[in-house]
Amino acid sequence: MNNDDLKEEIKNRIKLSEIISKKVILKKKSENSFIGLCPFHSEKTPSFHVHDEKQFYHCFGCEKHGDIFSFTMEVDNIDFYSALKYLASLIGLTLNNKSHQNISFQNKYKTLDLSSKFFIETLNNKKNKKVLDYLNKRGLNKEICQEFLIGFAPSKNYDSQLIDFLKSKNINEEELIEIGLAKKKYNNLYGYFYDRIMIPIVSTNGKIIAFGGRSTNSSEPKYLNSPESDVFSKRNILFGAYNVKKSKQNIDNIILCEGYMDVIALFRFGYPAVATLGTAVSEKQIDLLTKLSKNIFIVFDGDQAGKNASIRLFDKLLPLIKTDNVFRFVFLPNNLDPEEFLIKNGKDKFNVLLEKSYFISDIIWLMGIKNKMNDTPEEIAKFWKFIRSKIYQIKEKNLQLAIRDDLENRINKLRSKIRGYNSKPNNFINLNLPKIENDYRFKVIIAIILNFPKLFDVFEKKLIKIKFTNNSLHEVKEVIFSMIKDNSDVSYTQLVETLKERDLIKFLGDFRLEAIFSKLRSSDKKVEIDESRKVLEELIYMVNNN
Ligand SMILES: [Zn+2]
């Protein structure tokens, strides 16, 4: 790498304001310029100007002027080489890697761009009509293919190959290997991608930096990304960010999903979305995300892996969230991914999910509830301790207080409810009976079905799998489930009447959902079917995985 080339690359990839704002509080003046109090002289009114596009800062008070390098050198009191090394590390580069010092960044981008054009041309070649038909069938029409520069890497026995094409453009082997388009085996050069739908990975400033390839047959892996290189570092990029920024400067909300096919599907349905590239979400990616939009929806796949990833991200987010952004989590039902959900249920239902998604405070609360065994004071204390530990992970004070207030409110409701129980004579609620935890869950499951018989249909398969280990409750659910199976229009009243007739209703206790849900939420408004559906799904999962 030659230093001038690297210097230029760093300036293009790191915004000056990003570096300066680590030391100076900057106020936005326009899209690309900022103002703040000068770090080089003492002042009360700001005269220190920062221009991202022109890549310099200037102080009208003390005449200090410079770029990202002079700023880093001066403020951190280090020499040029140390500044270069530090800034390079921010974009994932290590200095002194002699193996690729001869290829300029500009050439690498040019080669990647040429390759993309080759892949697009190959896709549109008549020989590959089958691939194009497949894409169209998946809803990836011409417009979408153009937007995401989708192409195709031909199979090995195809007469036109990327390597030959690039060699004909005077690009040498070393460069092909260096940017991850070819690999060497027993002294022969092979392409990195064969028989794959090619989706370029584009940097925020619009340059192709790598490719994602999706196999068109059953060959593994299903998704293959370019290896990391000087221009491509997975953890520093969000797929789709360029498309989002290009379409609109200020977007109301953005969706973070798991993969590029999800981004493309969401885009197709009109939702701005970005994705990581098959790794856990990094702090850098969270930072990029918060700059794209104020409202961020996390919509990972509905399977267990997706749920686990959501919770891992939640834990990572807690210390990083600020009042400027609102994070919300959506849990898709029935193992569906966003594309499958949209195709099956349409936009209206998807919008309902977005609207009813979980805020940070909801997640903390639900995680606590999930671990709470019963309502003894000991368990409540443990529960509160857990919730408090989560709250204190939030570093920003205002947000921490707001979330603390919300959760304290819910806890007080829970406490006053328990005190109410305790004041009654002969109350056994505090006896730590075995299985009390699952028994309570069984009761709530039955109560929800009782109130909304229609939900039985939605979860039938999972519901009949549950082993109701409590004999009385087993009897109750047998009656309810078989009545609904016989007549799907059976009403709440009919079900309750039958339970009364058979003297089974006593096993349910207070089965009004308002009473049951008062533990889960702070409002007293009527419980609706959607909220019940969410809770039911969570409960079924808990009893089946206990
Ligand atoms: Zn100054």
Side-chain angles (χ1 to χ4, degrees):
M1 258 180 279
N2 112 14
N3 281 354
D4 284 342
D5 184 40
L6 179 59
K7 248 182 96 172
E8 219 32 57
E9 180 70 8
I10 286 171
K11 282 185 176 182
N12 289 335
R13 270 161 74 179
I14 308 175
K15 279 190 177 165
L16 179 59
S17 62
E18 205 177 295
I19 296 299
I20 294 185
S21 63
K22 290 181 192 207
K23 315 274 180 184
V24 179
I25 298 168
L26 291 177
K27 235 182 101 186
K28 204 168 186 157
K29 258 180 64 203
S30 70
E31 186 48 36
N32 287 308
S33 70
F34 302 81
I35 189 164
L37 291 173
C38 180
F40 302 112
H41 83 279
S42 161
E43 62 176 3
K44 288 207 173 83
T45 36
S47 44
F48 184 71
H49 291 249
V50 178
H51 294 274
D52 272 343
E53 209 181 328
K54 295 174 191 157
Q55 303 175 337
F56 69 73
Y57 57 84
H58 182 86
C59 175
F60 287 97
C62 67
E63 302 277 295
K64 275 273 183 202
H65 183 98
D67 63 9
I68 198 165
F69 295 96
S70 58
F71 184 86
T72 307
M73 286 160 68
E74 197 139 350
V75 167
D76 292 335
N77 196 19
I78 51 178
D79 63 14
F80 172 74
Y81 188 75
S82 306
L84 188 69
K85 207 165 138 185
Y86 163 69
L87 292 168
S89 76
L90 295 182
I91 52 173
L93 299 179
T94 355
L95 295 194
N96 282 338
N97 192 341
K98 286 215 167 66
S99 69
H100 41 76
Q101 59 186 353
N102 300 324
I103 311 154
S104 73
F105 282 98
Q106 211 189 350
N107 280 348
K108 288 176 191 166
Y109 291 126
K110 223 172 89 190
T111 306
L112 286 158
D113 200 52
L114 274 173
S115 309
S116 166
K117 293 203 166 86
F118 172 84
F119 292 138
I120 292 173
E121 217 164 273
T122 310
L123 175 64
N124 290 307
N125 187 315
K126 280 199 188 78
K127 283 184 185 168
N128 293 312
K129 193 171 172 302
K130 252 169 69 186
V131 182
L132 203 59
D133 288 346
Y134 166 80
L135 288 174
N136 285 332
K137 227 192 292 169
R138 277 197 69 162
L140 307 183
N141 58 22
K142 207 174 154 192
E143 215 185 345
I144 297 284
C145 285
Q146 274 171 3
E147 172 70 29
F148 289 94
L149 305 170
I150 294 172
F152 181 64
S155 62
K156 276 185 185 147
N157 45 26
Y158 196 83
D159 47 20
S160 166
Q161 291 292 343
L162 177 69
I163 294 178
D164 305 329
F165 169 75
L166 291 177
K167 278 186 170 171
S168 78
K169 302 274 176 195
N170 291 325
I171 291 154
N172 63 32
E173 288 190 4
E174 187 199 1
E175 183 174 352
L176 288 173
I177 296 168
E178 159 62 22
I179 53 176
L181 288 167
K183 54 189 171 184
K184 210 160 199 175
K185 211 172 166 188
Y186 310 119
N187 259 332
N188 288 322
L189 201 62
Y190 294 93
Y192 195 81
F193 298 98
Y194 288 111
D195 245 333
R196 283 177 185 272
I197 291 163
M198 299 300 288
I199 300 152
I201 296 161
V202 180
S203 71
T204 7
N205 49 20
K207 287 181 182 138
I208 294 173
I209 55 174
F211 291 94
R214 187 194 186 282
S215 72
T216 52
N217 41 43
S218 53
S219 75
E220 293 289 333
K222 195 168 168 192
Y223 294 99
L224 179 68
N225 291 332
S226 301
E228 301 233 322
S229 71
D230 283 353
V231 293
F232 174 48
S233 144
K234 270 195 276 202
R235 302 175 59 77
N236 290 331
I237 180 119
L238 285 171
F239 178 84
Y242 177 66
N243 306 75
V244 168
K245 276 180 79 176
K246 196 177 61 170
S247 66
K248 215 172 162 196
Q249 276 300 342
N250 292 308
I251 50 165
D252 299 333
N253 45 58
I254 192 154
I255 292 173
L256 174 70
C257 52
E258 285 191 65
Y260 31 74
M261 293 313 272
D262 294 323
V263 170
I264 295 171
L266 285 162
F267 182 91
R268 185 154 67 86
F269 282 92
Y271 300 96
V274 293
T276 59
L277 295 159
T279 47
V281 185
S282 70
E283 281 191 26
K284 171 76 185 172
Q285 286 167 326
I286 293 172
D287 186 51
L288 289 171
L289 199 55
T290 56
K291 282 176 182 144
L292 284 171
S293 178
K294 179 176 159 47
N295 297 300
I296 297 153
F297 290 90
I298 316 292
V299 189
F300 287 174
D301 293 356
D303 58 8
Q304 196 49 45
K307 281 183 189 146
N308 293 343
S310 292
I311 294 303
R312 273 201 305 274
L313 172 58
F314 165 81
D315 278 328
K316 189 167 240 166
L317 268 179
L318 276 187
L320 302 172
I321 43 172
K322 300 202 169 89
T323 16
D324 305 341
N325 292 97
V326 181
F327 281 90
R328 301 212 253 173
F329 289 77
V330 171
F331 295 96
L332 294 173
N334 308 326
N335 295 333
L336 297 175
D337 67 30
E339 181 178 18
E340 290 164 337
F341 184 91
L342 276 161
I343 288 171
K344 220 174 145 195
N345 302 297
K347 279 186 77 167
D348 286 348
K349 291 253 170 67
F350 190 72
N351 289 339
V352 170
L353 284 187
L354 292 181
E355 210 166 290
K356 304 218 161 180
S357 52
Y358 297 90
F359 290 95
I360 293 284
S361 56
D362 295 327
I363 303 274
I364 298 178
W365 182 256
L366 287 172
M367 283 169 94
I369 288 277
K370 205 165 169 170
N371 294 324
K372 191 163 71 68
M373 305 289 284
N374 52 47
D375 288 340
T376 58
E378 290 82 359
E379 277 294 313
I380 297 285
K382 225 170 81 187
F383 170 61
W384 186 211
K385 196 178 153 196
F386 169 83
I387 290 206
R388 212 178 269 163
S389 76
K390 289 286 169 199
I391 292 171
Y392 287 136
Q393 284 174 33
I394 300 168
K395 287 210 181 104
E396 205 200 70
K397 264 280 162 309
N398 288 332
L399 191 61
Q400 192 197 72
L401 289 175
I403 289 184
R404 197 195 139 96
D405 277 355
D406 176 36
L407 290 170
E408 223 162 46
N409 213 335
R410 299 192 206 196
I411 297 232
N412 285 337
K413 290 229 163 196
L414 185 62
R415 276 188 178 143
S416 62
K417 188 178 170 64
I418 290 157
R419 237 175 272 128
Y421 274 134
N422 286 346
S423 63
K424 284 183 206 152
N426 293 331
N427 191 316
F428 294 101
I429 198 84
N430 283 340
L431 289 180
N432 203 349
L433 299 168
K435 296 250 164 80
I436 190 165
E437 179 200 16
N438 257 352
D439 280 2
Y440 182 71
R441 287 170 182 164
F442 294 146
K443 262 187 210 173
V444 180
I445 289 173
I446 293 172
I448 290 175
I449 297 294
L450 192 61
N451 280 273
F452 298 111
K454 292 272 174 240
L455 285 176
F456 178 79
D457 223 343
V458 182
F459 295 102
E460 180 172 8
K461 268 195 197 144
K462 287 181 183 161
L463 281 168
I464 52 179
K465 258 194 226 151
I466 300 175
K467 286 201 181 66
F468 284 75
T469 45
N470 173 310
N471 288 338
S472 327
L473 292 172
H474 176 79
E475 235 181 301
V476 176
K477 72 101 191 181
E478 283 289 287
V479 172
I480 295 179
F481 288 9
S482 74
M483 279 179 77
I484 300 175
K485 269 194 214 164
D486 285 342
N487 169 19
S488 60
D489 287 318
V490 69
S491 72
Y492 165 79
T493 327
Q494 283 169 307
L495 290 169
V496 172
E497 282 311 313
T498 310
L499 290 178
K500 277 184 186 160
E501 272 166 35
R502 304 198 187 176
D503 200 26
L504 291 170
I505 199 90
K506 62 185 178 197
F507 297 123
L508 284 181
D510 190 351
F511 53 86
R512 289 172 309 119
L513 289 186
E514 275 70 21
I516 293 169
F517 279 40
S518 66
K519 280 189 173 189
L520 294 166
R521 55 188 206 161
S522 49
S523 90
D524 287 314
K525 62 175 195 278
K526 199 172 172 319
V527 176
E528 302 287 359
I529 188 161
D530 269 316
E531 192 180 359
S532 300
R533 190 186 46 71
K534 272 189 197 172
V535 176
L536 182 60
E537 194 186 7
E538 179 79 8
L539 283 169
I540 292 174
Y541 173 74
M542 283 194 256
V543 295
N544 280 333
N545 291 281
N546 208 315

